[in-house]
Amino acid sequence: MLRSQRSALAKWVRYKSDYLNPTIKQQLSHPAEIGSIIEARGFVKSTRASKKVGFVDISDGSNHQTLNIVLQGPDQPKFKVGQSIVVKGQWCEGKGRQPYELKYDPQNPDHSIAIVGDVTEDYPLQKKATSMPFLRTFPEIKHRTSTLGSFLRLRSHVEFKLMEFFQLQDFIKVTPPLITSSDCEGAGEVFSVHAPSDKPGEPFFGKNAYLTVSTQLHLECLALALNRAWTLTPCFRAEQSHTTRHLSEFWMLEAEISHVDSVYQVTNFIEDMVRYVTQSLADSSKTNQSVNAGDGNDYVNGTYIEKELVEARWSKMLTPERWPRMTYTEAVAHLNKVLPQDEQLQWGDSLQLKHEMMLAENSPIFITDYPEAQKPFYMLKSANYDPEKPTVACFDLLVPGSGELAGGSLREHDYEVLKKSLESHSMDMQDMDWYLNLRRQGTLPHGGFGLGFERMVTYLAGHDNVRDVAAFPRAPGLCHC
């Protein structure tokens, strides 16, 4: 695009946005001239009053900051926390911690203030400490709280930075289907899709259909066509899990890369990706000025954080050296040196969460080359394959204090080998014929990974429950609205 065209487009975008009312974030970051008359809109977060002046803090969710409204005169209007209001007044320099404030003078005919939306007397989001379990009972309004609103802003920032990273690495963003005829993992933890008009033997799609547990198989098709492809989409698991780390509906970042023949090419890529996002947050922290003095907390990129915990997590992500790599066999040997005798692991045992925590105690770590019997049908055999202890070229990324964040592998690209693997895993050969056909039609080596987006946001925010970073969490027994 020519420079003149870019300039014209930028002017058009600015012009077209003039009809939108400015957000509080815009008003504070690009302040109006002192003394000018402006309008501001938001929810009442807190109120306080004296005989001659009153104060109302409003927020519209566009950032973590509130705008202080100064009510002048003895006859001050009364407001309740939670009401949405619009106020027109004089833009002034702030006299407290806030750099600016808006003064409303009832005697000035150019000033006005009005309640747009009232609240009931039992409005639950008052200016006091509230627990996460309590907030989860109000899914329709809980996001107006500072903490939960900040999680949504962090999600937005992380997604933007991921898109930026993939763009720099020449990836194509794609949209695989959410309805599929195959179970990618082969574990049977799928939600079936039915239509009210379905008749016995005549399903809507002509065959059994499910909500996807992973878009990987379709993503492989697209990556082989586009060289490198990625997606961020919802996935669904019909798993009876009630932990703080699992959801029935969650967002998965998945990527597939053509022409890779070493699992370490994929681990290096995902490490660089996570570092890129984390560094963007650390850079924001250095320039952030909105510190809650004395309480050990802060806002970074509009996200409310426990500063010491988050900085400790980020520093472990941003180590000067590459994160360690350790094979499953080495991990078992390492754990058995510190585990009690009655908790010793045998080769082939699954690593539990406590084992993952021990392995990732000091920094993120990649565990590679797991036993073949533990993994799905599509994984390529390890480079150093041992028939006595068969392993596949895969990895899990474990992070301190949290456990698994991502997993991936090289994909089997040989037609005959993949066919035998499908048969040995008792997969439906007819349903999987389209996937197997990829290996008949111009096959090539490739690999990829999946990363739990809620887990990543939870970790970077210094939180401990994925249900709070999902706007409307879905889990067994949990679907309030």
Side-chain angles (χ1 to χ4, degrees), residues 18 33 59-60 76 109 121 127 135 154-155 160-162 165 236 285 292 297 314 328 330 371 383 414:
D18 286 347
E33 182 180 350
S59 170
D60 66 355
Q76 303 158 16
E121 292 298 327
K127 191 179 179 181
L135 292 177
L154 178 61
R155 284 184 71 120
F160 174 77
K161 286 298 175 181
L162 287 168
F165 178 81
F236 308 86
S285 179
N292 291 338
N297 296 320
W314 293 353
Y328 165 87
E330 293 169 337
D414 183 279

PDB file of all heavy atoms in Angstrom, residues 18 33 59-60 76 109 121 127 135 154-155 160-162 165 236 285 292 297 314 328 330 371 383 414:
ATOM      1  N   ASP A  18     -15.266   9.441  14.924  1.00  0.00           N
ATOM      2  CA  ASP A  18     -15.655  10.656  15.632  1.00  0.00           C
ATOM      3  C   ASP A  18     -17.081  10.570  16.169  1.00  0.00           C
ATOM      4  O   ASP A  18     -17.444  11.284  17.099  1.00  0.00           O
ATOM      5  CB  ASP A  18     -15.520  11.878  14.710  1.00  0.00           C
ATOM      6  CG  ASP A  18     -14.070  12.268  14.496  1.00  0.00           C
ATOM      7  OD1 ASP A  18     -13.224  11.759  15.244  1.00  0.00           O
ATOM      8  OD2 ASP A  18     -13.802  13.061  13.581  1.00  0.00           O
ATOM      9  N   GLU A  33      -8.425  19.946  26.512  1.00  0.00           N
ATOM     10  CA  GLU A  33      -7.811  21.170  27.022  1.00  0.00           C
ATOM     11  C   GLU A  33      -8.411  21.515  28.383  1.00  0.00           C
ATOM     12  O   GLU A  33      -9.629  21.416  28.589  1.00  0.00           O
ATOM     13  CB  GLU A  33      -8.055  22.315  26.029  1.00  0.00           C
ATOM     14  CG  GLU A  33      -7.413  23.629  26.428  1.00  0.00           C
ATOM     15  CD  GLU A  33      -7.670  24.731  25.416  1.00  0.00           C
ATOM     16  OE1 GLU A  33      -8.184  24.414  24.318  1.00  0.00           O
ATOM     17  OE2 GLU A  33      -7.372  25.902  25.729  1.00  0.00           O
ATOM     18  N   SER A  59     -16.339   4.380  36.140  1.00  0.00           N
ATOM     19  CA  SER A  59     -15.510   3.545  35.276  1.00  0.00           C
ATOM     20  C   SER A  59     -16.386   2.992  34.162  1.00  0.00           C
ATOM     21  O   SER A  59     -17.561   2.696  34.380  1.00  0.00           O
ATOM     22  CB  SER A  59     -14.891   2.397  36.075  1.00  0.00           C
ATOM     23  OG  SER A  59     -14.275   1.450  35.235  1.00  0.00           O
ATOM     24  N   ASP A  60     -15.805   2.850  32.978  1.00  0.00           N
ATOM     25  CA  ASP A  60     -16.573   2.253  31.878  1.00  0.00           C
ATOM     26  C   ASP A  60     -15.971   0.942  31.394  1.00  0.00           C
ATOM     27  O   ASP A  60     -16.404   0.379  30.396  1.00  0.00           O
ATOM     28  CB  ASP A  60     -16.711   3.231  30.711  1.00  0.00           C
ATOM     29  CG  ASP A  60     -15.376   3.548  30.040  1.00  0.00           C
ATOM     30  OD1 ASP A  60     -14.318   3.088  30.532  1.00  0.00           O
ATOM     31  OD2 ASP A  60     -15.382   4.253  29.008  1.00  0.00           O
ATOM     32  N   GLN A  76     -25.988  18.481  46.423  1.00  0.00           N
ATOM     33  CA  GLN A  76     -25.370  17.512  45.513  1.00  0.00           C
ATOM     34  C   GLN A  76     -26.342  16.374  45.208  1.00  0.00           C
ATOM     35  O   GLN A  76     -27.010  15.872  46.105  1.00  0.00           O
ATOM     36  CB  GLN A  76     -24.101  16.932  46.156  1.00  0.00           C
ATOM     37  CG  GLN A  76     -23.075  17.977  46.545  1.00  0.00           C
ATOM     38  CD  GLN A  76     -22.135  17.466  47.620  1.00  0.00           C
ATOM     39  OE1 GLN A  76     -22.051  16.284  47.879  1.00  0.00           O
ATOM     40  NE2 GLN A  76     -21.435  18.395  48.265  1.00  0.00           N
ATOM     41  N   PRO A 109     -25.262  26.488  33.467  1.00  0.00           N
ATOM     42  CA  PRO A 109     -26.242  25.944  32.511  1.00  0.00           C
ATOM     43  C   PRO A 109     -25.624  25.009  31.472  1.00  0.00           C
ATOM     44  O   PRO A 109     -26.335  24.232  30.832  1.00  0.00           O
ATOM     45  CB  PRO A 109     -26.824  27.200  31.854  1.00  0.00           C
ATOM     46  CG  PRO A 109     -25.778  28.249  32.019  1.00  0.00           C
ATOM     47  CD  PRO A 109     -25.123  27.960  33.334  1.00  0.00           C
ATOM     48  N   GLU A 121     -31.754  -1.893  45.239  1.00  0.00           N
ATOM     49  CA  GLU A 121     -31.132  -1.621  46.537  1.00  0.00           C
ATOM     50  C   GLU A 121     -30.156  -2.724  46.949  1.00  0.00           C
ATOM     51  O   GLU A 121     -29.253  -2.495  47.753  1.00  0.00           O
ATOM     52  CB  GLU A 121     -32.218  -1.461  47.618  1.00  0.00           C
ATOM     53  CG  GLU A 121     -33.080  -0.219  47.447  1.00  0.00           C
ATOM     54  CD  GLU A 121     -32.257   1.059  47.547  1.00  0.00           C
ATOM     55  OE1 GLU A 121     -31.270   1.084  48.320  1.00  0.00           O
ATOM     56  OE2 GLU A 121     -32.586   2.036  46.844  1.00  0.00           O
ATOM     57  N   LYS A 127     -18.437  -1.455  47.088  1.00  0.00           N
ATOM     58  CA  LYS A 127     -17.008  -1.207  47.270  1.00  0.00           C
ATOM     59  C   LYS A 127     -16.539  -1.868  48.562  1.00  0.00           C
ATOM     60  O   LYS A 127     -16.345  -1.222  49.591  1.00  0.00           O
ATOM     61  CB  LYS A 127     -16.712   0.294  47.293  1.00  0.00           C
ATOM     62  CG  LYS A 127     -15.206   0.585  47.206  1.00  0.00           C
ATOM     63  CD  LYS A 127     -14.905   2.061  47.201  1.00  0.00           C
ATOM     64  CE  LYS A 127     -13.404   2.283  47.135  1.00  0.00           C
ATOM     65  NZ  LYS A 127     -13.029   3.708  47.157  1.00  0.00           N
ATOM     66  N   LEU A 135     -18.728 -13.909  43.401  1.00  0.00           N
ATOM     67  CA  LEU A 135     -18.884 -13.242  42.102  1.00  0.00           C
ATOM     68  C   LEU A 135     -19.381 -14.206  41.036  1.00  0.00           C
ATOM     69  O   LEU A 135     -20.114 -13.803  40.124  1.00  0.00           O
ATOM     70  CB  LEU A 135     -17.555 -12.625  41.669  1.00  0.00           C
ATOM     71  CG  LEU A 135     -17.054 -11.434  42.491  1.00  0.00           C
ATOM     72  CD1 LEU A 135     -15.695 -10.979  41.992  1.00  0.00           C
ATOM     73  CD2 LEU A 135     -18.048 -10.283  42.451  1.00  0.00           C
ATOM     74  N   LEU A 154      -6.690  -8.406  29.862  1.00  0.00           N
ATOM     75  CA  LEU A 154      -5.449  -9.163  29.671  1.00  0.00           C
ATOM     76  C   LEU A 154      -5.614 -10.178  28.548  1.00  0.00           C
ATOM     77  O   LEU A 154      -4.710 -10.356  27.717  1.00  0.00           O
ATOM     78  CB  LEU A 154      -5.057  -9.868  30.967  1.00  0.00           C
ATOM     79  CG  LEU A 154      -3.792 -10.728  30.882  1.00  0.00           C
ATOM     80  CD1 LEU A 154      -2.590  -9.876  30.512  1.00  0.00           C
ATOM     81  CD2 LEU A 154      -3.534 -11.469  32.175  1.00  0.00           C
ATOM     82  N   ARG A 155      -6.751 -10.876  28.516  1.00  0.00           N
ATOM     83  CA  ARG A 155      -7.011 -11.812  27.421  1.00  0.00           C
ATOM     84  C   ARG A 155      -6.879 -11.113  26.077  1.00  0.00           C
ATOM     85  O   ARG A 155      -6.286 -11.633  25.128  1.00  0.00           O
ATOM     86  CB  ARG A 155      -8.422 -12.408  27.544  1.00  0.00           C
ATOM     87  CG  ARG A 155      -8.599 -13.457  28.589  1.00  0.00           C
ATOM     88  CD  ARG A 155     -10.007 -14.026  28.555  1.00  0.00           C
ATOM     89  NE  ARG A 155     -10.210 -14.857  27.382  1.00  0.00           N
ATOM     90  CZ  ARG A 155     -10.526 -16.148  27.418  1.00  0.00           C
ATOM     91  NH1 ARG A 155     -10.666 -16.759  28.589  1.00  0.00           N
ATOM     92  NH2 ARG A 155     -10.694 -16.828  26.312  1.00  0.00           N
ATOM     93  N   PHE A 160      -3.828 -10.279  21.121  1.00  0.00           N
ATOM     94  CA  PHE A 160      -3.240  -9.352  20.158  1.00  0.00           C
ATOM     95  C   PHE A 160      -1.759  -9.639  19.962  1.00  0.00           C
ATOM     96  O   PHE A 160      -1.251  -9.658  18.830  1.00  0.00           O
ATOM     97  CB  PHE A 160      -3.439  -7.909  20.630  1.00  0.00           C
ATOM     98  CG  PHE A 160      -2.733  -6.888  19.782  1.00  0.00           C
ATOM     99  CD1 PHE A 160      -3.252  -6.506  18.556  1.00  0.00           C
ATOM    100  CD2 PHE A 160      -1.540  -6.317  20.201  1.00  0.00           C
ATOM    101  CE1 PHE A 160      -2.592  -5.576  17.758  1.00  0.00           C
ATOM    102  CE2 PHE A 160      -0.877  -5.388  19.415  1.00  0.00           C
ATOM    103  CZ  PHE A 160      -1.409  -5.013  18.192  1.00  0.00           C
ATOM    104  N   LYS A 161      -1.039  -9.883  21.063  1.00  0.00           N
ATOM    105  CA  LYS A 161       0.397 -10.143  20.967  1.00  0.00           C
ATOM    106  C   LYS A 161       0.680 -11.479  20.287  1.00  0.00           C
ATOM    107  O   LYS A 161       1.682 -11.627  19.564  1.00  0.00           O
ATOM    108  CB  LYS A 161       1.035 -10.088  22.357  1.00  0.00           C
ATOM    109  CG  LYS A 161       1.174  -8.680  22.901  1.00  0.00           C
ATOM    110  CD  LYS A 161       2.077  -7.848  21.999  1.00  0.00           C
ATOM    111  CE  LYS A 161       2.168  -6.404  22.412  1.00  0.00           C
ATOM    112  NZ  LYS A 161       3.041  -5.614  21.508  1.00  0.00           N
ATOM    113  N   LEU A 162      -0.171 -12.472  20.520  1.00  0.00           N
ATOM    114  CA  LEU A 162      -0.011 -13.747  19.823  1.00  0.00           C
ATOM    115  C   LEU A 162      -0.192 -13.561  18.325  1.00  0.00           C
ATOM    116  O   LEU A 162       0.578 -14.087  17.511  1.00  0.00           O
ATOM    117  CB  LEU A 162      -1.016 -14.761  20.353  1.00  0.00           C
ATOM    118  CG  LEU A 162      -0.734 -15.319  21.749  1.00  0.00           C
ATOM    119  CD1 LEU A 162      -1.938 -16.083  22.271  1.00  0.00           C
ATOM    120  CD2 LEU A 162       0.505 -16.220  21.736  1.00  0.00           C
ATOM    121  N   PHE A 165       2.861 -12.002  16.957  1.00  0.00           N
ATOM    122  CA  PHE A 165       3.984 -12.938  16.871  1.00  0.00           C
ATOM    123  C   PHE A 165       3.837 -13.857  15.658  1.00  0.00           C
ATOM    124  O   PHE A 165       4.778 -14.050  14.887  1.00  0.00           O
ATOM    125  CB  PHE A 165       4.070 -13.771  18.147  1.00  0.00           C
ATOM    126  CG  PHE A 165       5.176 -14.793  18.126  1.00  0.00           C
ATOM    127  CD1 PHE A 165       6.477 -14.428  18.401  1.00  0.00           C
ATOM    128  CD2 PHE A 165       4.906 -16.126  17.822  1.00  0.00           C
ATOM    129  CE1 PHE A 165       7.509 -15.370  18.373  1.00  0.00           C
ATOM    130  CE2 PHE A 165       5.917 -17.069  17.792  1.00  0.00           C
ATOM    131  CZ  PHE A 165       7.220 -16.688  18.060  1.00  0.00           C
ATOM    132  N   PHE A 236     -14.059 -28.412  23.216  1.00  0.00           N
ATOM    133  CA  PHE A 236     -15.039 -28.936  24.167  1.00  0.00           C
ATOM    134  C   PHE A 236     -14.624 -30.333  24.632  1.00  0.00           C
ATOM    135  O   PHE A 236     -14.284 -31.186  23.813  1.00  0.00           O
ATOM    136  CB  PHE A 236     -16.419 -28.991  23.512  1.00  0.00           C
ATOM    137  CG  PHE A 236     -16.837 -27.674  22.878  1.00  0.00           C
ATOM    138  CD1 PHE A 236     -16.451 -27.358  21.580  1.00  0.00           C
ATOM    139  CD2 PHE A 236     -17.584 -26.754  23.599  1.00  0.00           C
ATOM    140  CE1 PHE A 236     -16.820 -26.150  20.996  1.00  0.00           C
ATOM    141  CE2 PHE A 236     -17.955 -25.541  23.025  1.00  0.00           C
ATOM    142  CZ  PHE A 236     -17.564 -25.247  21.718  1.00  0.00           C
ATOM    143  N   SER A 285       4.847  -3.121  32.345  1.00  0.00           N
ATOM    144  CA  SER A 285       5.012  -2.904  33.781  1.00  0.00           C
ATOM    145  C   SER A 285       6.033  -1.809  34.063  1.00  0.00           C
ATOM    146  O   SER A 285       5.872  -1.011  34.986  1.00  0.00           O
ATOM    147  CB  SER A 285       5.444  -4.205  34.455  1.00  0.00           C
ATOM    148  OG  SER A 285       5.639  -4.024  35.841  1.00  0.00           O
ATOM    149  N   ASN A 292      -1.035   0.925  43.116  1.00  0.00           N
ATOM    150  CA  ASN A 292      -1.836   1.093  44.328  1.00  0.00           C
ATOM    151  C   ASN A 292      -0.887   1.174  45.509  1.00  0.00           C
ATOM    152  O   ASN A 292      -0.395   0.165  45.997  1.00  0.00           O
ATOM    153  CB  ASN A 292      -2.800  -0.085  44.516  1.00  0.00           C
ATOM    154  CG  ASN A 292      -3.890  -0.068  43.469  1.00  0.00           C
ATOM    155  OD1 ASN A 292      -4.177   0.973  42.899  1.00  0.00           O
ATOM    156  ND2 ASN A 292      -4.493  -1.204  43.220  1.00  0.00           N
ATOM    157  N   ASN A 297      -0.022  -4.360  45.175  1.00  0.00           N
ATOM    158  CA  ASN A 297      -0.700  -4.718  43.938  1.00  0.00           C
ATOM    159  C   ASN A 297      -0.468  -3.633  42.898  1.00  0.00           C
ATOM    160  O   ASN A 297       0.008  -2.546  43.194  1.00  0.00           O
ATOM    161  CB  ASN A 297      -2.193  -4.927  44.171  1.00  0.00           C
ATOM    162  CG  ASN A 297      -2.459  -6.095  45.091  1.00  0.00           C
ATOM    163  OD1 ASN A 297      -1.797  -7.113  45.006  1.00  0.00           O
ATOM    164  ND2 ASN A 297      -3.408  -5.937  45.984  1.00  0.00           N
ATOM    165  N   TRP A 314       6.848 -14.058  35.880  1.00  0.00           N
ATOM    166  CA  TRP A 314       7.400 -13.523  34.639  1.00  0.00           C
ATOM    167  C   TRP A 314       8.913 -13.710  34.583  1.00  0.00           C
ATOM    168  O   TRP A 314       9.468 -14.021  33.538  1.00  0.00           O
ATOM    169  CB  TRP A 314       7.065 -12.046  34.511  1.00  0.00           C
ATOM    170  CG  TRP A 314       5.604 -11.769  34.336  1.00  0.00           C
ATOM    171  CD1 TRP A 314       4.597 -12.687  34.158  1.00  0.00           C
ATOM    172  CD2 TRP A 314       4.977 -10.490  34.317  1.00  0.00           C
ATOM    173  NE1 TRP A 314       3.389 -12.047  34.042  1.00  0.00           N
ATOM    174  CE2 TRP A 314       3.584 -10.705  34.133  1.00  0.00           C
ATOM    175  CE3 TRP A 314       5.439  -9.185  34.444  1.00  0.00           C
ATOM    176  CZ2 TRP A 314       2.666  -9.651  34.074  1.00  0.00           C
ATOM    177  CZ3 TRP A 314       4.542  -8.138  34.376  1.00  0.00           C
ATOM    178  CH2 TRP A 314       3.162  -8.373  34.196  1.00  0.00           C
ATOM    179  N   TYR A 328      11.160 -37.997  28.947  1.00  0.00           N
ATOM    180  CA  TYR A 328      10.334 -38.674  29.958  1.00  0.00           C
ATOM    181  C   TYR A 328      11.184 -39.658  30.761  1.00  0.00           C
ATOM    182  O   TYR A 328      11.069 -39.726  31.995  1.00  0.00           O
ATOM    183  CB  TYR A 328       9.181 -39.402  29.273  1.00  0.00           C
ATOM    184  CG  TYR A 328       8.485 -40.405  30.159  1.00  0.00           C
ATOM    185  CD1 TYR A 328       7.437 -40.030  30.994  1.00  0.00           C
ATOM    186  CD2 TYR A 328       8.878 -41.747  30.159  1.00  0.00           C
ATOM    187  CE1 TYR A 328       6.812 -40.950  31.821  1.00  0.00           C
ATOM    188  CE2 TYR A 328       8.253 -42.676  30.971  1.00  0.00           C
ATOM    189  CZ  TYR A 328       7.217 -42.275  31.804  1.00  0.00           C
ATOM    190  OH  TYR A 328       6.604 -43.192  32.613  1.00  0.00           O
ATOM    191  N   GLU A 330      14.388 -39.584  31.382  1.00  0.00           N
ATOM    192  CA  GLU A 330      15.234 -38.823  32.310  1.00  0.00           C
ATOM    193  C   GLU A 330      14.414 -38.246  33.456  1.00  0.00           C
ATOM    194  O   GLU A 330      14.885 -38.188  34.603  1.00  0.00           O
ATOM    195  CB  GLU A 330      15.939 -37.695  31.555  1.00  0.00           C
ATOM    196  CG  GLU A 330      16.963 -38.187  30.540  1.00  0.00           C
ATOM    197  CD  GLU A 330      17.453 -37.081  29.622  1.00  0.00           C
ATOM    198  OE1 GLU A 330      16.729 -36.068  29.461  1.00  0.00           O
ATOM    199  OE2 GLU A 330      18.554 -37.223  29.056  1.00  0.00           O
ATOM    200  N   PRO A 371       6.126 -42.249  26.591  1.00  0.00           N
ATOM    201  CA  PRO A 371       5.821 -43.599  26.106  1.00  0.00           C
ATOM    202  C   PRO A 371       4.727 -43.577  25.045  1.00  0.00           C
ATOM    203  O   PRO A 371       3.725 -42.860  25.172  1.00  0.00           O
ATOM    204  CB  PRO A 371       5.363 -44.328  27.373  1.00  0.00           C
ATOM    205  CG  PRO A 371       6.064 -43.614  28.481  1.00  0.00           C
ATOM    206  CD  PRO A 371       6.090 -42.175  28.060  1.00  0.00           C
ATOM    207  N   ALA A 383      13.065 -39.944  17.590  1.00  0.00           N
ATOM    208  CA  ALA A 383      14.261 -40.091  16.767  1.00  0.00           C
ATOM    209  C   ALA A 383      15.103 -41.273  17.243  1.00  0.00           C
ATOM    210  O   ALA A 383      15.684 -42.007  16.438  1.00  0.00           O
ATOM    211  CB  ALA A 383      15.073 -38.800  16.798  1.00  0.00           C
ATOM    212  N   ASP A 414       3.871 -40.869   7.336  1.00  0.00           N
ATOM    213  CA  ASP A 414       3.954 -42.045   6.471  1.00  0.00           C
ATOM    214  C   ASP A 414       2.599 -42.757   6.440  1.00  0.00           C
ATOM    215  O   ASP A 414       2.054 -43.111   7.487  1.00  0.00           O
ATOM    216  CB  ASP A 414       5.041 -42.991   6.973  1.00  0.00           C
ATOM    217  CG  ASP A 414       5.231 -44.202   6.073  1.00  0.00           C
ATOM    218  OD1 ASP A 414       4.444 -45.167   6.200  1.00  0.00           O
ATOM    219  OD2 ASP A 414       6.158 -44.174   5.249  1.00  0.00           O
TER     220      ASP A 414
END
